[in-house]
Amino acid sequence: MLPVTVAWQNWSGTERSNPALELSPEGADQISDTVRLARTTGTTVKPIGASHSFTAIGATEGIRLDLSRLRGLVNADLGRSRVTLWAGTRLWELPHILNPLGLALENMGDIDRQTISGATSTGTHGTGLALGGIATRVVGATLVDGTGGIRVIDEESSPELLPAVALGLGALGVLVTVTIQCVPRFLLRAVEAPAPLAEVLENYVELNRASDHFEFYWFPHTKGTRTKTNTRLPLDAGTKPLGRASRFVDEEIVNNVLLGAVVGVESLATGITPRVNQAIEAISSRRDYTDESHRVFITRRRVKFREMEYALPLEAVPEALRELRVMIERKGHTVSFPIEVRAAAADDLLLSTASGRESGYIAVHRFIKDRDHEYFRDAEAILAAHDGRPHWGKMHTLGAAELAERYPGFERFLEVRDELDPDRVFQNAYLARVLGE
Ligand SMILES: Cc1cc2nc3c(=O)[nH]c(=O)nc-3n(C[C@H](O)[C@H](O)[C@H](O)COP(=O)(O)OP(=O)(O)OC[C@H]3O[C@@H](n4cnc5c(N)ncnc54)[C@H](O)[C@@H]3O)c2cc1C
C-alpha cells in the first residue's frame, strides 16, 4: 500500500480536491490501521469509487482510499442467489462474475462505470415501479467503522444497522465487502418509441404500473418524448439484439456525437437548440430488441454533463413536469439535454430517495461547459417544492435541516453515524452540509 499524493476530480470535472495522501489498501486490516492512525492524528479518511458523483461527496483534503485493489468475487451463495463482492468491484465487471453463476443484478441504472459500493452508498437506481435501487439489494456488508473496528453487518449480525449501512453516503465507514441479493440471469425486451408528452403525462402512473421498467425522455422545446418500456423475460426466450447500425445511430449519433455537437454549439448559438431538439426527436425511431439484461439497461455516455435529479412522490411527477415546461419557456432557458424520468418502488432504507414512498425521478442536465446555473436553480425550486428528495450523488443545494424534514429516517441515520463514526473520521464538507457536523 504505497502512499502517493494525487489531485482528485470527479467524472464531470466539476469538483476537485487535494488529498493529503492516497492509499490503495489490499484488505480490511490495512483500512483499519489507516482509520486508527487518522483518528489519533485528527485526519479524515474518504473511500472513493469511480468518482462518478456530480457532487463533492467524494472530495477530501485528508486520506483518500482508492479501493481499486479490492475488486471481484469474495464468495457466492448459490442456494440464495447471493454474491459477496469486494467493495471496489466495478458494475461493468459484474456480468463476467455473475453470468457463469447464472445470476444478474435485479435492476441497473444507465451506466456501469461505477463501483458497487459507490453506487449503493449514494442510492443509484434505475427504473421499475416494483423494484428498488441497487442498495435495496444489499443484504450484508463488512465495514471498517470510524474507530477502526471491523464489523460484519447482515441479517444475523447487527441487522438494525443494515438500513443505514446499505446506503450510507460514505459517512459510516469504509465498506470492504458488500453482499448482494441477485436474481436468476434474465433477458429484457426493450421497446423504444416516440410518444406525445401530453399523453405520457396523462397516463404516467398507469404506464409505470403496466410494465416492468418504464422511462421516458422529454426533449425541452418540443411536445415529444421517447419512451422505453422493458419487459423481463426468461433466458430461454431467445435474444434479438440491436443491430450494430441501430446501436450506432442511437448511442453514438443521437446520444453522443450529435448531442455533443449540439451542446457544444449551444453555448455559442443558443437560438438553434429548440430546432435541433426537434430534429433529434424526429430521427429517434421505434426500436424493439431483446438482449441480456445488463446490455439493455446500460448505454454509453461520452458527452460530459452536469446533472441534478430529484425523487418525487410518484403522483407528483406529471404536474412537476408541466411546471418545468412552463418555467423553461417563461424564463427563456435553452435546454439541449432531454429530461429523464424514471420510477422506483418504496423501500425501507433510511436515506434512500424512495424511502417509504413510491417515487418518480426527474433528472435535468446541462452540458459541462455551460456556465448557466439558473436552469438548475429554477428546476430545483419546482422539484423541491413537490417534497422532492435530491439524489445524493447529483447536484443540489439542500442542507441538513431541509433534508431532515424529507426523510422519516434522518434522525435514526444520525444516531447510527454517532455510533459508527463518533469522531467524524469520514467527514467532508459535503457531508457536513447534508448531515450536519
Ligand atoms: C454518466 C453518469 C451516469 C449516471 N447514471 C446514473 C443512473 O442511471 N442512476 C443513478 O442513480 N445514478 C447515476 N449516476 C450517479 C452515480 O451512479 C453515483 O453518483 C455513484 O455514486 C457513482 O459511483 P462511484 O463508484 O463513482 O462512487 P463515487 O462517486 O466515487 O463515491 C460516491 C460515494 O460513495 C462513497 N464510497 C465509495 N466507495 C465506498 C466504500 N468502499 N465504502 C464506503 N463508502 C464508499 C464515497 O465516499 C462517496 O461518498 C450517474 C453518474 C454519471 C457520471
Side-chain angles (χ1 to χ4, degrees), residues 71-74 83-108 111-117 119-120 134 178 180 182 185 292 294:
R71 286 157 89 151
L73 183 69
V74 180
V83 289
T84 298
L85 302 163
W86 291 107
T89 307
R90 305 283 173 134
L91 298 186
W92 59 261
E93 294 173 311
L94 290 181
H96 307 286
I97 295 170
L98 298 180
N99 279 6
L101 303 175
L103 299 174
L105 285 187
E106 182 184 62
N107 201 0
M108 297 182 79
I111 62 159
D112 59 4
R113 301 295 101 181
Q114 310 95 316
T115 59
I116 187 69
S117 50
T120 54
I134 301 175
V178 284
I180 303 287
C182 299
R185 206 171 145 185
E292 285 267 352
H294 62 93

Side-chain angles (χ1 to χ4, degrees), residues 106 128-132 208 211-212 344-345 358:
E106 182 184 62
L129 197 49
L131 304 167
N208 277 287
S211 55
D212 293 327
E358 286 188 318

Side-chain angles (χ1 to χ4, degrees), residues 87 116-123 134-146 149-155 157-180 348-352 409 412-421 426:
I116 187 69
S117 50
T120 54
S121 295
T122 55
I134 301 175
T136 65
R137 304 294 85 199
V138 173
V139 292
T142 312
L143 179 91
V144 176
D145 69 20
I150 301 174
R151 294 179 182 241
V152 174
I153 296 157
D154 59 24
E155 288 141 338
S157 176
S158 308
E160 74 286 357
L161 298 179
L162 205 52
V165 166
L167 200 167
L169 313 188
L172 306 178
V174 182
L175 293 163
V176 184
T177 68
V178 284
T179 302
I180 303 287
D348 55 6
L349 303 183
L350 299 177
L351 291 191
S352 166
R412 172 67 191 137
F413 187 89
L414 296 188
E415 284 168 19
V416 175
R417 184 192 195 203
D418 285 342
E419 180 186 338
L420 295 183
D421 187 21
F426 305 111

Side-chain angles (χ1 to χ4, degrees), residues 244-279:
R244 264 200 194 165
S246 183
R247 189 175 278 275
F248 176 76
V249 167
D250 187 73
E251 292 191 1
E252 291 304 313
I253 298 189
V254 178
N255 279 346
N256 290 312
V257 181
L258 188 51
L259 200 53
V262 173
V263 293
V265 166
E266 180 194 314
S267 25
L268 300 174
T270 50
I272 70 161
T273 301
R275 269 177 289 143
V276 180
N277 275 5
Q278 283 154 16

Side-chain angles (χ1 to χ4, degrees), residues 11 46-54 57-58 67 87 109-111 113-115 117-119 121-126 169-170 173-176 301 305 307 309 342 391 393-394:
W11 174 84
K46 186 55 56 186
I48 194 74
S51 303
H52 269 54
S53 296
F54 295 90
I57 193 168
L67 298 181
D110 286 344
I111 62 159
R113 301 295 101 181
Q114 310 95 316
T115 59
S117 50
S121 295
T122 55
T124 295
H125 63 91
L169 313 188
V174 182
L175 293 163
V176 184
R301 293 274 188 268
F305 52 85
E307 181 172 346
E309 185 179 50
R342 295 181 277 184
H391 189 302
K394 301 187 182 179

